[in-house]
Amino acid sequence: MEFTSINVKKERDTVLRFRREVFQESFGSSDSMNEEDYLDWLQKKAEEFPDGMKLVKKKGEPIGQLELSVREFKGRIIGYVHLFYLEKEWRDLGFGLNLYNYAMKFFREKDITEFHLRVAPENRRAIAFYKKLGMKEAGEELNGKVIRMTGSVNTWNL
């Protein structure tokens, strides 16, 4: 498994396909996704966090995507997982743990001890996976569209 820096222009179709699939799985539709806004945001984040915006590849072919950054939340500096994605055929094979380990390494290298992500309440499979890894639900946001989950980098052993 390889983690390669995202080249937004070159890999536009791949990152858009992955993001659409996430919207579809999370919200039942990708209609509310603004593709150009997402590509602009991703380009900026890829420049700011080149080691955090990664395509996940197996034998050179993209099978997933990871988007990680550092941000302020309620007066604290935290790690944030914007996207944690594997294509369906690559799930339940242990690859998710590889993405999680990469994220923990990224946050540790930036001296981050706490990280967050948001997940759709309907995505029970992802919630169960995150809980298995020690994350906790911190409450609903966006009028119940997502659940914020929190985790501790220090409790995770690579």
Side-chain angles (χ1 to χ4, degrees), residues 84 94-109 112-115 128-136 150-158:
F84 189 100
F95 293 115
L97 195 55
N98 291 339
L99 272 68
Y100 198 80
N101 283 336
Y102 184 95
M104 295 305 99
K105 184 175 181 282
F106 172 87
F107 294 138
R108 281 186 179 153
E109 287 174 354
I112 299 298
T113 59
E114 175 186 4
F115 69 101
F129 174 72
Y130 299 139
K131 284 183 176 181
K132 180 178 153 186
L133 296 171
M135 296 188 77
K136 299 193 180 337
T150 63
S152 173
V153 176
N154 292 336
T155 60
W156 184 251
N157 293 316
L158 299 176

Side-chain angles (χ1 to χ4, degrees), residues 5-57:
S5 295
I6 294 173
N7 179 326
V8 176
K9 289 179 182 167
K10 181 180 169 192
E11 295 158 325
R12 179 183 198 280
D13 293 343
T14 300
V15 299
L16 284 175
R17 178 171 54 88
F18 288 168
R19 191 66 168 189
R20 275 189 225 104
E21 289 172 9
V22 168
F23 264 69
Q24 185 68 36
E25 288 178 26
S26 297
F27 309 113
S29 168
S30 62
D31 293 344
S32 65
M33 181 179 138
N34 184 312
E35 293 182 356
E36 292 309 314
D37 284 352
Y38 171 66
L39 292 171
D40 289 345
W41 174 88
L42 185 59
Q43 181 62 45
K44 289 176 186 154
K45 287 296 180 190
E47 291 167 9
E48 186 178 5
F49 297 101
D51 52 341
M53 303 293 147
K54 297 291 185 176
L55 275 180
V56 181
K57 296 181 179 180

